[in-house]
Amino acid sequence: MQTELAGDPLWVQWPIVEKRLLSPTVVGGEAVWRDPRTDRSVSPIGQLTG
């Protein structure tokens, strides 16, 4: 779903690192945004700021 929605920036703004979309995942029971290239957890979901 993220890939489908991200194609239209007027409706959905997904978090990015450089030009990569972050992937939502669960780590240790916590929902986090993860960088798909580095496999690093970036932030708990809901706590990113602009």
Side-chain angles (χ1 to χ4, degrees), residues 21-47:
L21 290 172
L22 297 179
S23 300
T25 191
V26 176
V27 177
E30 181 179 31
V32 298
W33 290 110
R34 179 162 272 187
D35 183 330
R37 183 176 62 86
T38 65
D39 205 32
R40 180 180 68 89
S41 293
V42 175
S43 173
I45 290 178
Q47 295 185 11

